[in-house]
Amino acid sequence: MEAITNVLASRYASGAMRAIWSPRGRILLEREFWIAVLKAQRDLGLPIPPEAITAYERVKEQIDLDSIRRREQTLRHDVKARIDEFCALAGFEHIHKGLTSRDLTESVEALQIYRALELARLKAVAALVALSRRAGENKNVLLAARTHNVAAQLTTVGKRLAMFGEELLLALEALDPLIERFPVRGLKGAVGTQLDQLTLFRGDVGKVVELEERVLAHLGIQRTLMAPGQVYPRSLDFAVISALYQLGAGPSSFAKTLRLMAGHELAGEGFAPGQVGSSAMPHKMNSRSCERLNGLHVVLRGYVTMAEGLAGDQWNEGDVSCSVVRRVMLPDAFFALDGLLETMLTILMHMEINPAVVEREVRRYLPFLSTTTILMEAVKAGVGRETAHEIIKEHAVAATRDLRTGKIVENDLFQRLASDRRLGLDAPALERIARDTRAHPGAAAAQVDWLMRAVLPWCERFPAATDLKPEPIL
Amino acid sequence: MEAITNVLASRYASGAMRAIWSPRGRILLEREFWIAVLKAQRDLGLPIPPEAITAYERVKEQIDLDSIRRREQTLRHDVKARIDEFCALAGFEHIHKGLTSRDLTESVEALQIYRALELARLKAVAALVALSRRAGENKNVLLAARTHNVAAQLTTVGKRLAMFGEELLLALEALDPLIERFPVRGLKGAVGTQLDQLTLFRGDVGKVVELEERVLAHLGIQRTLMAPGQVYPRSLDFAVISALYQLGAGPSSFAKTLRLMAGHELAGEGFAPGQVGSSAMPHKMNSRSCERLNGLHVVLRGYVTMAEGLAGDQWNEGDVSCSVVRRVMLPDAFFALDGLLETMLTILMHMEINPAVVEREVRRYLPFLSTTTILMEAVKAGVGRETAHEIIKEHAVAATRDLRTGKIVENDLFQRLASDRRLGLDAPALERIARDTRAHPGAAAAQVDWLMRAVLPWCERFPAATDLKPEPIL
Amino acid sequence: MEAITNVLASRYASGAMRAIWSPRGRILLEREFWIAVLKAQRDLGLPIPPEAITAYERVKEQIDLDSIRRREQTLRHDVKARIDEFCALAGFEHIHKGLTSRDLTESVEALQIYRALELARLKAVAALVALSRRAGENKNVLLAARTHNVAAQLTTVGKRLAMFGEELLLALEALDPLIERFPVRGLKGAVGTQLDQLTLFRGDVGKVVELEERVLAHLGIQRTLMAPGQVYPRSLDFAVISALYQLGAGPSSFAKTLRLMAGHELAGEGFAPGQVGSSAMPHKMNSRSCERLNGLHVVLRGYVTMAEGLAGDQWNEGDVSCSVVRRVMLPDAFFALDGLLETMLTILMHMEINPAVVEREVRRYLPFLSTTTILMEAVKAGVGRETAHEIIKEHAVAATRDLRTGKIVENDLFQRLASDRRLGLDAPALERIARDTRAHPGAAAAQVDWLMRAVLPWCERFPAATDLKPEPIL
Amino acid sequence: MEAITNVLASRYASGAMRAIWSPRGRILLEREFWIAVLKAQRDLGLPIPPEAITAYERVKEQIDLDSIRRREQTLRHDVKARIDEFCALAGFEHIHKGLTSRDLTESVEALQIYRALELARLKAVAALVALSRRAGENKNVLLAARTHNVAAQLTTVGKRLAMFGEELLLALEALDPLIERFPVRGLKGAVGTQLDQLTLFRGDVGKVVELEERVLAHLGIQRTLMAPGQVYPRSLDFAVISALYQLGAGPSSFAKTLRLMAGHELAGEGFAPGQVGSSAMPHKMNSRSCERLNGLHVVLRGYVTMAEGLAGDQWNEGDVSCSVVRRVMLPDAFFALDGLLETMLTILMHMEINPAVVEREVRRYLPFLSTTTILMEAVKAGVGRETAHEIIKEHAVAATRDLRTGKIVENDLFQRLASDRRLGLDAPALERIARDTRAHPGAAAAQVDWLMRAVLPWCERFPAATDLKPEPIL
């Protein structure tokens, strides 16, 4: 049978994320978990021979997925297959005492999620840092801001980037408490009452509590659930996956906007050396990475849907109807987000702004964007508000029409208005207005400064994020 | 034209939630917002006649939706229609100075969301309190816990309820920082650069900051966005709606489990006086409220999807492609959640546990559930593990078969095992095991105690939640 | 209590669609259904006094929603409330014999869905006709087709429209068999076995079959389910709602592309008289209707999600966990689609193409778009392929750079190539290539012709669609 | 780098489905496509040396995925990498003439979808056949039908199965026209105008049409799109994936109901030899396959969401924002459905009904289920309707209470009613009613017969479906 590889893992995710979710990696996590439980049980008085622990330690990295699979086909039970394999390798039968399958699998999967969340946070910080840098570089580059995809007012390129940076920052702030509060189910037994460990320790509650604490310490997670059933509530999975989706939203809006800007030649992804195919000619330098990023956000959405299907659907103390969903959804959602952030980092590394095109667009729209001010000045100069509005609109409509019919190439609205005596504003007055408009794009630059400051505490917490490089992308 | 009412609002949501989202309520919020801005602008030096403010105050509650609608049909602009109406009533034209439509609508909608979130939190706390009380009442009622929908181990009814309580608690803990961090966009102008207010205040940054702070104080929200575009990032809407979905998950799992329990006559919703139709006969006392609750959770899921469609889809500084989505999604999601929590409170008020049926089920399954212990005792008594397992299984299979074929009515596995000499356990020994099994359902009771303690700080923060009564439901 | 209106119904849907789903309309459908059953039962021999039928007929349009609601609050059973009201009005108690609630409600809801599907089909045909007309008008208007949002090859405006027309046509072809095969559940009784009617007719299978056929004839639907439970399978609802979503996809892609074109001033929605607000100045003529259309498609997606939550979730013979979902999802999905198609018709009525801007873009990109042909001609003229490619790319990169830095305004790639001796193509040769490229935009025009022909059979089947006018939109 | 395998493919899907979507299989399909185009181009007059075709044919199965991947890493273009690899192997450069990447990929992916749809249909027919057989076997086994998860009326086990069979049948009927109408995009060139092939054939429309027809013949698909852009409309993908979801709904409802039945020990999945773990004891024979099936349906829902994100989101003539989504969604959706149907077949093969438990439940509820008839008979016997209703309800409430409190074990409602003189019905009369009720479960059996007939034409069309065996499942 030809193995079919996971396309998200192999094409889009980074090595670090793949390592967390790889089948071999998972087996190793499980074995380390078993050994940690074993040691804790021994320390707490269970009769476990030291040579057994040594034996398990020695063979824990001998991972033969095919052998495990063959066992599973016979036993029709995945965890039992893995227990048998590990015991056969070690020559002892001491692991998994007082554990049910879910004590193992819920813990190991929680650990995978936890580590993957930490990695996602790190990368999101890296993306935020990179975005704030690009915002800083372009903080004063005037740009015709667009609402409804048409020019509306001036802003700066940097401010536009800062806008998406703030969205990413908000998502990071939402992710943070999720990681801090993240609970693991713990060794709660078949239906969550801790019966099995209590039995093992002859009802000694203190020892069972201590056992669980040692296991938490091994996992590096602070918190355990207090009253779960066989499984932890699947709405926690939903909280995780929806947090990933939120994390992807700022980059996705950024990518969509960069695709729009590329359509106007205002900006682009840059041109990778050696790139061929339909994108080899300069006019075809397309936004393939931005498109990919947007695609990955859509992919993530599918996993949110899967998580929704599990949340609120627990029957009694639980069952395995969630099993196949989680096998697919958990790694794939993290692979998708990881690929999304890798792509984001790549785009930010190569993105090019074309200042002359940006400026040409400003020039084209500036007269229109100044009309509000012109109106105010005309009113100050004594013209009635309605009259002034009508005059300006008349010329604006005419200028627009002539630009659109090709009668004129450059926007001549200022000239038209200057030559209309009714408005009482001469050319120098209008030029002054234009100059003033350009000089004051509101608080755009200050907002960029704000973002750059806001990023600093994240850089301090996660110094590795400040120079995290994306892996080369396909 | 016959008005078609919003079915979620009219059939499921409470008066308090309807009030937040009602068209008239919203108009009033907008007018109060305009007046607050007006007062702040006056205080900061803009020339606004006091009699104008008085006039607006006087007419603010004269809300004629038909008149506004007629204006909108002419103007094809919803905000302008509402400005004109308010100004016509007041006889002044001073509101909305330096504001763009979104300065108004984003603020008012954020306020609606914020208040609705607070209401949702209060109700969720009320549901948690009610659930913990029912858990407390049933903390020691032995119950056959089920995994895969079949009996697995003993637990207690109270612990089962505590399990869903913890899920609700986790969602509340996730909701809390969302409310605390909730930002309003503020008066950021057409493209988010604050140009319009800066112009109005002739570039006086300090005054613009002060104006925004006063507006925040009016709204009662702590935080403002720093670098938005025309709109706030729609991933914030996603964060809100997905938090609601998470909030509904615990109740939804509880409701599903209660439907399952009702199928076994273990518990039910109780019988409302006057109830008729197919549910009037006692055997037909059905779980209609639980079914409704599950339905409302599915409804919520639809609004998560809508929110997903907006997040990450911002083009440049924004547009109104989100408008229709938010008009539908925001109120309807909160109506659905509110109806869900109202239904939850109603169920918890009327829910009946049938202890005799619960006990009958325990008796039926206890022998099977004791097999693990029996095995251990047999091994202690000197029987080989494999041998013991085979013997027990042989009798368990036979007992199961006879129960299922109707050959026996009561589970006689204990007798069968007692009479099998190979196992070395006599009737008294087995009785002792059964007694012990019943006496020690693990940490079930302690877990209920934990929940009851965990609820206390929430009761202190939200005392109104402790005796919040649901409205009568249809 | 202030009634909160359904925003999709009141702002977006047409009167015809509202009429299908209005509460009063539904009551009337139910009453007509009861009367039809009553007549059929009488004809088949049940003792029903003719004056009872007359009495029901007489009062059937006396619909007092408040009175019904009061009854429901007492009875806690919606169908019983409506039975009692109708009987009280008529002074008889003969309706609903041998019926269960679901015999009534499933039938009436199926009828609403069926009629709403027919209306949706009609409007979709109208949109298709309008789209094909605009395609025809612009069939030869050369346009720079874009892939990755950058110019790729020539096409025509008409062909671009035809592309979206074909997508709509494919959705219509998918909708058609859904309507033709649409089944109603029929009078199948409490658990689908027809027990109740069989009892009423003392086991006379022939009469029960005949009764159901008469009811189908009354509904105007051809087909009944044969083995349902209490409800029809909810995957049928999913099939309906997902068909609506597919129907919205072509218009949604069209609207998104028109928003992109408006960003380049290539086309726009036109300027409605009286329109005010931020869109009053000509440069601000924004694509609000296209944005709304895209928003409505996102809204629809939410209802697909709700339908997904019902499909595959039937417990035994059914329950009412689907009830609240369907109350929301069914009307709202149809309102959203109806609003989407109304918006589409409005856009198509007012859409303006700006031929001069379209042509300017063609001119700007034509030299780049001709490079493939230039390469071929250079090879024919004896230059090595790789060499030719390098030369062309060199000049293309330079021209692009100069255009983007503002060094040149018009694309001068042809001149650059003509003056490069290495390529062996002089100015007339290059002009010929340019002329040829413009003259042959592939099969664009023929594809428009194809669409116009493909629309004809639909016009014949649905003549009302050919001049269906949208209602004025807000 | 450790390869991470696709979990849906490796754990759940069948070999036949994996073969359609395997990376090597796809490469082969592409090469065969290129060769088919090459032959057609040669036949239509292009100068292609026969030895080139021979060479390509000879090496087409030499597939080295690593080599292709290395090429892609250099070229950053996936199709170009595959062209180069194939040409390097063959030693010629003749393939892909006049083709764009999408001419190739859209065609090959359409072919994969088409074949996967055919396979899905075949398996769905197999599941339907198996379900109808089990319905036939149990057509007369009386069962207490449940609505709201509580007993409502009698039905038969067979009828319950037939109910889910009809749902599957309806989905098959919806799938059928989708397959019949399935269009491939064809060789439409970079922006859909066929420019590239028209250029290659010097404007000869006839030859281009003929070329496309030959390619269709090679693919075995009847229909081509007429006016697409660079890509086919992605709402077609949505139509496909949503059809798969509909196909899974009947099995999913069946599986959920079987899980419910297992909870009452009415039925189960059977006990696979060698099965171990928590399910090894008889009382723990759990519904893991049904749970898996339900899980796979939730997984499918995620891919519907991804497809929704593509439909209606085409920008101009298209781009690659759909690429990553389709790489994930298309194979994974088919793997999930395939696994779902494999699981369904497995369940149907092993499912066990426990007739004695089914009968015990009928006995328990029969008295309650007979109350409607008892009421009618009492009225016939001269008791007032209201009076009779009250008497019956009084005893029913008491019997229910005593059953639930454990005071009685068997339902004694008949005795209670018989001994109440007010009702005028003696024990023999009540026994007669009970017997009659049991004898006439409505049209249950006839409905099973109907399904068995309805399945026949599908068996004739797809004879392979009648004995299709599932692969062993993990």
Side-chain angles (χ1 to χ4, degrees), chain B residues 350-473:
Chain B
H350 296 299
M351 177 176 69
E352 288 169 358
I353 305 293
N354 301 322
V357 184
V358 170
E359 169 60 21
R360 187 165 61 220
E361 202 176 78
V362 168
R363 275 206 316 277
R364 179 177 175 93
Y365 292 113
L366 187 63
F368 296 133
L369 307 186
S370 308
T371 49
T372 317
T373 315
I374 295 170
L375 177 65
M376 272 172 27
E377 294 296 321
V379 171
K380 272 196 215 161
V383 188
R385 190 182 186 81
E386 287 306 307
T387 312
H389 188 272
E390 271 316 298
I391 296 168
I392 295 167
K393 188 167 174 179
E394 178 191 321
H395 289 297
V397 166
T400 300
R401 189 189 52 228
D402 290 353
L403 280 164
R404 290 191 178 169
T405 57
K407 206 168 144 189
I408 56 174
V409 170
E410 293 281 330
N411 188 340
D412 63 355
L413 177 59
F414 282 135
Q415 293 94 302
R416 292 176 196 246
L417 294 174
S419 60
D420 189 324
R421 296 289 182 85
R422 294 174 297 170
L423 207 60
L425 295 171
D426 57 10
L430 287 160
E431 267 160 46
R432 206 179 330 110
I433 289 170
R435 237 177 7 248
D436 276 8
T437 303
R438 294 186 64 112
H440 300 295
Q447 292 177 336
V448 174
D449 290 337
W450 163 80
L451 181 68
M452 296 180 75
R453 283 194 310 277
V455 166
L456 290 180
W458 293 90
C459 294
E460 276 165 42
R461 279 180 62 195
F462 304 99
T466 59
D467 59 354
L468 196 152
K469 292 279 168 300
E471 297 185 7
I473 65 177

Side-chain angles (χ1 to χ4, degrees), chain B residues 1-2 4 6 10-12 18 22 24 69 72 75-76 259 272 288 291 295 305 319-320 327, chain C residues 1-2 4 6 10-12 18 22 24 69 72 76 259 272 288 291 305 319-321 327:
Chain B
M1 167 177 116
E2 180 190 352
I4 295 186
N6 181 313
S10 64
R11 288 188 77 86
Y12 306 100
R18 277 200 306 276
S22 85
R24 303 176 65 82
R69 190 179 172 97
E72 186 180 352
L75 297 165
R76 298 191 64 195
R259 288 163 65 192
R288 64 201 290 270
E291 289 165 13
T305 296
D319 53 52
V320 298
R327 278 180 207 267
Chain C
M1 167 177 116
E2 179 190 351
I4 295 186
N6 181 312
S10 64
R11 287 188 77 87
Y12 306 100
R18 278 199 305 274
S22 85
R24 302 176 65 82
R69 189 178 171 100
E72 186 180 352
R76 298 190 64 194
R259 288 164 64 192
R288 63 202 291 270
E291 288 166 13
T305 296
D319 53 53
V320 299
S321 61
R327 278 181 207 266

Side-chain angles (χ1 to χ4, degrees), chain D residues 171-351:
Chain D
L172 260 170
E173 289 178 9
L175 184 66
D176 225 31
L178 179 65
I179 297 177
E180 302 311 320
R181 289 190 323 261
F182 191 80
V184 70
R185 174 174 169 273
L187 306 182
K188 294 300 192 301
V191 303
T193 56
Q194 301 195 294
L195 178 65
D196 313 83
Q197 293 300 329
L198 281 167
T199 305
L200 202 62
F201 286 98
R202 302 176 176 274
D204 186 331
V205 175
K207 284 193 173 170
V208 170
V209 169
E210 175 66 21
L211 174 70
E212 206 167 53
E213 272 167 22
R214 285 173 185 236
V215 169
L216 282 182
H218 164 72
L219 295 171
I221 299 179
Q222 307 297 322
R223 185 176 167 185
T224 183
L225 291 178
M226 298 304 290
Q230 192 183 53
V231 296
Y232 67 73
R234 295 315 186 207
S235 55
L236 288 176
D237 285 342
F238 173 73
V240 166
I241 309 290
S242 58
L244 301 188
Y245 188 72
Q246 192 185 349
L247 213 54
S252 179
S253 285
F254 160 77
K256 227 161 249 189
T257 296
L258 194 54
R259 288 164 64 194
L260 293 168
M261 293 175 80
H264 292 272
E265 302 185 44
L266 298 164
E269 289 190 5
F271 202 55
Q275 195 174 344
V276 300
S278 72
S279 52
M281 278 290 168
H283 69 285
K284 287 192 171 173
M285 283 163 60
N286 60 50
S287 309
R288 64 201 290 268
S289 295
C290 286
E291 288 166 13
R292 169 181 297 183
L293 197 162
N294 288 143
L296 285 163
H297 202 228
V298 170
V299 168
L300 257 177
R301 211 187 282 163
Y303 302 117
V304 179
T305 295
M306 295 185 198
E308 284 171 342
L310 301 186
D313 190 41
Q314 188 176 321
W315 286 23
N316 310 303
E317 278 69 33
D319 52 52
V320 298
S321 63
C322 55
S323 178
V324 56
V325 186
R326 297 175 72 251
R327 277 181 208 267
V328 172
M329 164 188 84
L330 290 173
D332 285 5
F334 278 104
F335 292 145
L337 178 80
D338 192 61
L340 186 153
L341 291 174
E342 287 280 311
T343 309
M344 180 72 175
L345 287 166
T346 302
I347 296 166
L348 288 168
M349 196 158 69
H350 297 300
M351 176 176 70

Side-chain angles (χ1 to χ4, degrees), chain B residues 124-432:
Chain B
V125 173
L128 179 61
V129 171
L131 192 52
S132 75
R133 280 187 194 139
R134 303 305 301 258
E137 292 163 20
N138 293 282
K139 129 173 135 170
N140 294 308
V141 181
L142 277 187
L143 172 77
R146 285 175 177 250
T147 56
H148 310 284
N149 204 25
V150 296
Q153 252 185 13
L154 290 188
T155 189
T156 71
V157 172
K159 156 65 201 267
R160 177 172 281 182
L161 298 179
M163 177 173 68
F164 300 119
E166 184 171 30
E167 183 165 15
L168 183 51
L169 183 62
L170 290 165
L172 260 169
E173 289 178 8
L175 184 65
D176 226 32
L178 179 64
I179 296 178
E180 302 312 319
R181 289 190 323 262
F182 191 80
V184 69
R185 174 177 169 273
L187 306 183
K188 295 299 191 302
V191 303
T193 56
Q194 301 195 294
L195 178 65
D196 312 83
Q197 293 299 329
L198 282 167
T199 305
L200 201 61
F201 286 98
R202 299 172 179 277
D204 186 331
V205 173
K207 285 194 174 171
V208 170
V209 168
E210 175 67 20
L211 175 71
E212 208 167 53
E213 273 168 21
R214 287 173 183 235
V215 168
L216 283 182
H218 165 74
L219 295 171
I221 299 179
Q222 307 297 322
R223 182 175 169 187
T224 183
L225 292 179
M226 298 305 289
Q230 193 184 51
V231 296
Y232 66 74
R234 294 317 186 208
S235 55
L236 288 176
D237 285 342
F238 173 74
V240 167
I241 309 289
S242 58
L244 301 188
Y245 188 73
Q246 192 186 347
L247 212 53
S252 180
S253 285
F254 160 77
K256 226 160 250 187
T257 297
L258 193 55
R259 288 163 65 192
L260 293 168
M261 293 174 80
H264 292 272
E265 302 185 45
L266 299 164
E269 290 189 5
F271 202 53
Q275 194 174 345
V276 301
S278 71
S279 52
M281 277 290 169
H283 68 285
K284 288 191 171 176
M285 283 165 59
N286 60 50
S287 309
R288 64 201 290 270
S289 295
C290 286
E291 289 165 13
R292 170 181 296 183
L293 198 161
N294 287 142
L296 285 163
H297 203 229
V298 171
V299 168
L300 257 177
R301 211 187 284 164
Y303 302 117
V304 179
T305 296
M306 294 186 199
E308 285 169 342
L310 301 185
D313 191 40
Q314 187 175 320
W315 286 24
N316 309 303
E317 277 68 33
D319 53 52
V320 298
S321 62
C322 56
S323 178
V324 56
V325 186
R326 297 176 71 253
R327 278 180 207 267
V328 172
M329 165 188 84
L330 290 173
D332 285 6
F334 278 104
F335 291 147
L337 178 80
D338 192 62
L340 185 153
L341 291 174
E342 287 279 311
T343 307
M344 181 71 176
L345 288 166
T346 302
I347 296 166
L348 288 168
M349 196 158 68
H350 296 299
M351 177 176 69
E352 288 169 358
I353 305 293
N354 301 322
V357 184
V358 170
E359 169 60 21
R360 187 165 61 220
E361 202 176 78
V362 168
R363 275 206 316 277
R364 179 177 175 93
Y365 292 113
L366 187 63
F368 296 133
L369 307 186
S370 308
T371 49
T372 317
T373 315
I374 295 170
L375 177 65
M376 272 172 27
E377 294 296 321
V379 171
K380 272 196 215 161
V383 188
R385 190 182 186 81
E386 287 306 307
T387 312
H389 188 272
E390 271 316 298
I391 296 168
I392 295 167
K393 188 167 174 179
E394 178 191 321
H395 289 297
V397 166
T400 300
R401 189 189 52 228
D402 290 353
L403 280 164
R404 290 191 178 169
T405 57
K407 206 168 144 189
I408 56 174
V409 170
E410 293 281 330
N411 188 340
D412 63 355
L413 177 59
F414 282 135
Q415 293 94 302
R416 292 176 196 246
L417 294 174
S419 60
D420 189 324
R421 296 289 182 85
R422 294 174 297 170
L423 207 60
L425 295 171
D426 57 10
L430 287 160
E431 267 160 46
R432 206 179 330 110

Side-chain angles (χ1 to χ4, degrees), chain A residues 131 161 164 249-258 344 347-348 351:
Chain A
L131 191 52
L161 298 179
F164 300 119
S252 179
S253 285
F254 160 76
K256 227 162 250 188
T257 297
L258 193 55
M344 181 72 175
I347 296 166
L348 288 167
M351 178 176 69

Side-chain angles (χ1 to χ4, degrees), chain C residues 180-435:
Chain C
E180 303 311 320
R181 289 189 324 259
F182 192 80
V184 69
R185 174 176 169 273
L187 306 182
K188 294 300 192 301
V191 302
T193 57
Q194 301 196 295
L195 178 65
D196 313 83
Q197 293 299 330
L198 282 167
T199 305
L200 202 63
F201 286 99
R202 300 173 177 277
D204 186 331
V205 174
K207 284 193 173 171
V208 170
V209 168
E210 174 67 21
L211 176 70
E212 207 166 53
E213 273 168 20
R214 285 171 185 238
V215 169
L216 282 182
H218 164 73
L219 295 171
I221 299 178
Q222 306 297 322
R223 184 175 168 186
T224 183
L225 291 179
M226 297 305 289
Q230 193 183 52
V231 296
Y232 66 74
R234 294 316 186 208
S235 55
L236 288 176
D237 285 342
F238 172 73
V240 166
I241 309 290
S242 58
L244 301 188
Y245 188 72
Q246 192 186 348
L247 213 54
S252 179
S253 285
F254 160 76
K256 226 159 251 187
T257 297
L258 194 54
R259 288 164 64 192
L260 293 169
M261 292 174 80
H264 292 271
E265 301 185 45
L266 299 163
E269 289 190 4
F271 202 55
Q275 196 174 343
V276 300
S278 72
S279 52
M281 279 289 169
H283 68 285
K284 288 192 172 175
M285 284 165 57
N286 59 50
S287 309
R288 63 202 291 270
S289 294
C290 286
E291 288 166 13
R292 169 180 297 181
L293 198 163
N294 287 143
L296 285 163
H297 203 229
V298 170
V299 168
L300 257 177
R301 212 186 283 165
Y303 302 117
V304 178
T305 296
M306 295 186 198
E308 284 169 344
L310 301 185
D313 190 41
Q314 187 175 321
W315 286 24
N316 309 303
E317 277 69 34
D319 53 53
V320 299
S321 61
C322 55
S323 179
V324 56
V325 186
R326 297 174 73 250
R327 278 181 207 266
V328 172
M329 163 187 86
L330 289 173
D332 285 6
F334 278 105
F335 291 147
L337 178 79
D338 192 61
L340 185 153
L341 291 174
E342 287 278 312
T343 308
M344 180 72 175
L345 287 166
T346 302
I347 296 165
L348 288 168
M349 198 159 67
H350 297 299
M351 176 176 70
E352 288 169 359
I353 306 293
N354 301 323
V357 184
V358 171
E359 170 59 22
R360 188 165 60 220
E361 202 176 78
V362 168
R363 275 205 317 275
R364 177 176 175 92
Y365 291 113
L366 187 63
F368 297 132
L369 307 187
S370 307
T371 49
T372 317
T373 315
I374 295 170
L375 176 65
M376 272 172 27
E377 293 297 320
V379 172
K380 271 196 217 161
V383 188
R385 192 184 185 79
E386 288 306 307
T387 311
H389 187 272
E390 272 316 297
I391 296 168
I392 295 169
K393 189 167 171 180
E394 178 191 320
H395 289 297
V397 166
T400 301
R401 189 191 51 229
D402 290 352
L403 279 164
R404 291 191 177 168
T405 55
K407 205 168 144 189
I408 56 173
V409 170
E410 293 280 329
N411 188 340
D412 63 355
L413 177 59
F414 282 135
Q415 292 95 300
R416 292 174 196 247
L417 295 174
S419 60
D420 188 324
R421 295 290 181 87
R422 295 173 297 169
L423 208 60
L425 294 171
D426 57 11
L430 286 159
E431 267 161 45
R432 205 179 329 111
I433 288 171
R435 238 179 3 250

